[in-house]
Amino acid sequence: MADIVRGVGLDQLLDDLIDALAARLREHDPEITITHDRNGFHYDKPDLGLVEWMPALEAGRQVSVKTVAYHPNNPVQRGLPSVLATTTLHDITSGALLALTESTLLTALRTGAASALATDVLATDGPVEVGVIGAGAQAVTQIHAISRVRPVARVLVTDTDPAVAASLVDRVAFLGIEVVVIPCEQVARMVAEVDVLCTCTSVDPGCGPVFADGDHRPWLHINAVGADFAGKVEVPIELLLRALVCPDVVSQCLLEGECQQLHGHPLGPDLANLVRDAPTYRSRARDLTVFDSTGWSLEDLVAAEVILGHAERLDAGVLVDLNPALADPYDPYGLLRGDGLL
Amino acid sequence: MADIVRGVGLDQLLDDLIDALAARLREHDPEITITHDRNGFHYDKPDLGLVEWMPALEAGRQVSVKTVAYHPNNPVQRGLPSVLATTTLHDITSGALLALTESTLLTALRTGAASALATDVLATDGPVEVGVIGAGAQAVTQIHAISRVRPVARVLVTDTDPAVAASLVDRVAFLGIEVVVIPCEQVARMVAEVDVLCTCTSVDPGCGPVFADGDHRPWLHINAVGADFAGKVEVPIELLLRALVCPDVVSQCLLEGECQQLHGHPLGPDLANLVRDAPTYRSRARDLTVFDSTGWSLEDLVAAEVILGHAERLDAGVLVDLNPALADPYDPYGLLRGDGLL
């Protein structure tokens, strides 16, 4: 992955993802690209966590399955990212496995790309001030992605762990944007002062929202991003009820996104419609808007495709010959013949 | 995979799988080992086929996800097996990917192992005559697996493609068992003469069963194995209604197995109960019995575990360092630092 980013450039890779996702969303036809809602195993032993699969079919062409794990205690207890993921790509003519790609970085990047697209339609023109609640791994790609669609005047960041908030300054230093750390007691002040807010927390289910309803700019746009779980919400219901709320995938957002709080309430356009009808929804840039990002398997298909295209071009990765090339397709033991084993 | 089989020995590997599966089924607790029914994408473009995922969780320990593709035209059109599969294993403490294994051979072997276990409980004592309808890849491992639990006096085989039936003789020659090819017009005669029957066909949905109800030995045991699809059945309903029918997974068999024909009818024990209470069900060996094998994700978990255990011991496979070892788990771009890219 590092070789690919080195070859392509980080800004360019993120722009590629934003552009590829926008193009795919504009032409999205749910009869041709079929996605399943995330499904998986949730557990609290040995620790709170989940492993889920996110499948997408592009008719006539390929299937991608991202397997994504979320273990909020990873950073503190194991020095690992809370989200770890891999994606497999399968040819659907023969069913053969085409590729497997590490997708931890890709997940962060494509989540950023989705926020960039929503922000580009729904946020006020720049330069914007960006607030960030939750300064973990996703914060880096949220800020980076927003900076690709708006000039960012300043970032205000807060986290329940002040050390993590403070370290974000270094982690996004490469962007050359001023980053101000706000004590978490002053989150209300921060929300009041920004044009774009990203919530990307690991708040426990039942313990949200991560800020109280209160003052904000009339045109505030929120990207509600934090990894999703039934019962986990980041944005207060009172605010949601005043806002145009755009889910990435309606069914999934109702199960585990901010939209859990909005059953029976009207929702805004989903991400595909938002991007397709961007000129129409651009009129809402002066209003309070929320992008409910739960993560869509289509985003993972696009991300895997982009990265594997670059991998092929750059000759990056490891070629593993997995699928059995059998002289006789009816002979599962064919791989053992010719060396006297059978 | 060839290196592993070479190191372990094919008979030994199959015995390992049979033993490991038996042990796991005897201690199976659905509260501890949680499996999802197979789910996936089915399509008819560019060709009839499916890609499905089969997940299993072993609480506190690991998750396996087999991705399996079934493309019945593969052998004739592409020289590939109709079933292609890979399995990933995930640690559930951190969510990290532990391993990926090719599972085409494993799927054939574990399907054989499951039939061996059912046959061992429900078939008459040997030597047995074994009939096979559908002489493709699964036929090889069905015959091999049955030969591990019963002396096989003779195999009778038929296939809609006489050349495929004829080639089975060579493919199972390593077993040293007499194999007689029966023209498919005489399938009824074959069914009448055998003690154990394996159906492992690619019959199209809606075109089954693959033999008509008629004469058979009173103690006939059938393993109904062919890759499953809604609407695809291999065994005639009249016979099923007279038999003790044991599904591998009740819910899945009702959706896509022979049990599709038995909604509202009583079913026998599932595979886990059959194996756990083998002494009880052994009394049914003189009766007509059917094992409805749709393939269980638990079998895939066990198979992946057995093969990866051998791989580790034999130092087989390729080590790919996929999961990002980041100095800072909150820094998704950490892999780019230190080389001047950021």
Side-chain angles (χ1 to χ4, degrees):
Chain A
M1 196 61 78
D3 287 347
I4 293 170
V5 182
R6 214 169 281 128
V8 179
L10 189 53
D11 285 348
Q12 185 60 49
L13 179 59
L14 188 47
D15 288 350
D16 285 356
L17 281 172
I18 294 171
D19 293 346
L21 184 57
R24 193 63 74 97
L25 291 172
R26 269 186 223 110
E27 70 187 26
H28 179 58
D29 177 345
E31 302 282 311
I32 291 175
T33 307
I34 297 162
T35 61
H36 281 229
D37 284 351
R38 186 166 42 225
N39 192 5
F41 297 116
H42 296 204
Y43 39 82
D44 51 18
K45 271 178 217 151
D47 219 346
L48 182 74
L50 59 81
V51 170
E52 297 182 315
W53 40 96
M54 302 180 67
L57 163 73
E58 198 184 346
R61 199 148 163 253
Q62 59 190 354
V63 160
S64 69
V65 183
K66 184 169 86 169
T67 311
V68 58
Y70 171 57
H71 293 81
N73 295 333
N74 264 358
V76 170
Q77 293 187 6
R78 285 171 281 277
L80 286 170
S82 56
V83 174
L84 289 174
T86 47
T87 304
T88 52
L89 216 60
H90 307 259
D91 160 48
I92 65 165
T93 304
S94 69
L97 179 71
L98 294 172
L100 176 142
T101 173
E102 207 289 323
S103 298
T104 302
L105 176 59
L106 277 190
T107 297
L109 287 171
R110 69 82 156 131
T111 308
S115 286
L117 291 176
T119 302
D120 196 26
V121 179
L122 297 174
T124 187
D125 284 330
V128 292
E129 295 211 274
V130 175
V132 175
I133 305 180
Q138 306 302 317
V140 175
T141 46
Q142 289 295 308
I143 298 166
H144 187 195
I146 290 167
S147 78
R148 304 308 296 168
V149 296
R150 287 288 184 282
V152 175
R154 203 163 65 134
V155 171
L156 308 182
V157 60
T158 190
D159 194 289
T160 51
D161 183 339
V164 175
S167 79
L168 185 67
V169 178
D170 285 340
R171 282 181 278 136
V172 298
F174 73 98
L175 293 171
I177 300 168
E178 185 192 358
V179 178
V180 181
V181 176
I182 307 286
C184 63
E185 306 78 51
Q186 295 175 31
V187 64
R189 198 197 85 198
M190 185 183 91
V191 171
E193 284 183 14
V194 296
D195 305 295
V196 174
L197 178 68
C198 297
T199 60
C200 30
T201 75
S202 294
V203 69
D204 282 335
C207 296
V210 298
F211 65 97
D213 191 30
D215 288 343
H216 59 78
R217 293 182 172 162
W219 55 80
L220 175 64
H221 170 70
I222 301 176
N223 298 304
V225 164
D228 297 285
F229 235 104
K232 176 180 171 183
V233 299
E234 299 185 315
V235 179
I237 171 73
E238 301 84 355
L239 186 153
L240 291 174
L241 290 172
R242 290 195 306 277
L244 178 75
V245 178
C246 301
D248 52 5
V249 185
V250 174
S251 51
Q252 199 170 271
C253 288
L254 287 167
L255 280 177
E256 53 182 60
E258 300 307 316
C259 293
Q260 290 178 91
Q261 306 179 76
L262 294 179
H263 283 268
H265 293 283
L267 301 177
D270 65 19
L271 184 60
N273 282 306
L274 186 69
V275 170
R276 190 187 299 117
D277 301 333
T280 308
Y281 293 111
R282 187 76 193 105
S283 63
R284 303 299 300 263
R286 303 304 299 169
D287 300 336
L288 178 65
T289 54
V290 176
F291 172 48
D292 187 6
S293 171
T294 59
W296 188 8
S297 58
L298 177 67
E299 297 162 8
D300 299 312
L301 173 70
V302 171
E305 219 176 12
V306 167
I307 208 77
L308 291 167
H310 285 310
E312 215 156 34
R313 200 172 50 76
L314 296 167
D315 200 21
V318 180
L319 203 61
V320 180
D321 199 6
L322 261 185
N323 290 119
L326 301 172
D328 175 355
Y330 299 115
D331 185 11
Y333 295 162
L335 74 174
L336 311 173
R337 297 192 193 275
D339 61 359
L341 195 68
L342 283 186
Chain B
M1 196 60 78
D3 286 348
I4 293 169
V5 182
R6 215 170 279 128
V8 179
L10 188 53
D11 285 347
Q12 186 59 51
L13 179 59
L14 187 48
D15 288 350
D16 285 356
L17 281 172
I18 293 171
D19 292 347
L21 184 57
R24 191 65 73 95
L25 291 172
R26 268 184 225 111
E27 71 188 24
H28 179 58
D29 177 346
E31 303 283 311
I32 290 175
T33 306
I34 297 163
T35 61
H36 281 229
D37 283 352
R38 186 164 42 222
N39 192 4
F41 297 117
H42 296 203
Y43 39 81
D44 49 19
K45 274 178 213 147
D47 218 346
L48 181 75
L50 59 81
V51 170
E52 296 182 316
W53 41 96
M54 302 180 66
L57 163 73
E58 198 183 346
R61 198 148 166 253
Q62 60 190 353
V63 161
S64 68
V65 183
K66 183 169 87 169
T67 311
V68 58
Y70 171 57
H71 292 81
N73 295 333
N74 263 359
V76 170
Q77 292 187 7
R78 285 171 281 278
L80 285 170
S82 57
V83 174
L84 290 174
T86 47
T87 304
T88 53
L89 216 59
H90 308 259
D91 159 49
I92 66 166
T93 304
S94 70
L97 179 71
L98 294 172
L100 176 142
T101 173
E102 207 289 322
S103 298
T104 302
L105 175 59
L106 278 189
T107 297
L109 286 171
R110 68 82 156 130
T111 307
S115 285
L117 291 176
T119 302
D120 196 27
V121 180
L122 296 174
T124 187
D125 284 331
V128 292
E129 294 211 274
V130 176
V132 175
I133 304 180
Q138 307 302 317
V140 174
T141 46
Q142 289 294 310
I143 297 167
H144 187 194
I146 289 166
S147 78
R148 304 307 297 168
V149 297
R150 285 289 184 283
V152 175
R154 202 162 66 134
V155 171
L156 308 182
V157 59
T158 190
D159 194 290
T160 51
D161 183 339
V164 174
S167 79
L168 185 67
V169 178
D170 285 341
R171 284 180 278 136
V172 298
F174 73 98
L175 293 170
I177 300 169
E178 183 192 0
V179 178
V180 180
V181 177
I182 307 286
C184 62
E185 306 79 50
Q186 296 176 29
V187 64
R189 198 198 85 196
M190 185 183 91
V191 172
E193 285 183 12
V194 296
D195 305 294
V196 175
L197 177 68
C198 298
T199 59
C200 30
T201 74
S202 293
V203 68
D204 282 335
C207 298
V210 298
F211 65 97
D213 190 31
D215 287 345
H216 59 78
R217 292 180 173 162
W219 54 80
L220 175 64
H221 171 70
I222 301 176
N223 298 303
V225 164
D228 295 285
F229 236 103
K232 176 182 170 182
V233 299
E234 297 185 315
V235 179
I237 172 73
E238 301 83 356
L239 186 154
L240 291 173
L241 289 172
R242 291 195 306 276
L244 178 74
V245 178
C246 301
D248 51 6
V249 186
V250 175
S251 52
Q252 198 170 270
C253 288
L254 287 167
L255 280 177
E256 52 182 61
E258 300 307 316
C259 293
Q260 289 177 90
Q261 306 179 76
L262 295 179
H263 283 268
H265 293 282
L267 300 177
D270 64 20
L271 184 60
N273 283 305
L274 186 69
V275 170
R276 189 188 300 116
D277 300 333
T280 308
Y281 293 112
R282 188 76 194 103
S283 64
R284 304 300 298 262
R286 303 305 299 169
D287 300 336
L288 177 65
T289 55
V290 176
F291 172 48
D292 188 5
S293 171
T294 59
W296 188 8
S297 58
L298 178 66
E299 297 162 8
D300 299 313
L301 174 71
V302 171
E305 217 175 15
V306 167
I307 207 77
L308 291 166
H310 285 309
E312 215 156 36
R313 200 172 50 77
L314 297 167
D315 200 20
V318 180
L319 204 60
V320 180
D321 199 6
L322 262 184
N323 290 118
L326 301 173
D328 176 355
Y330 300 114
D331 185 11
Y333 296 161
L335 75 175
L336 311 172
R337 297 191 193 274
D339 59 0
L341 196 67
L342 284 185

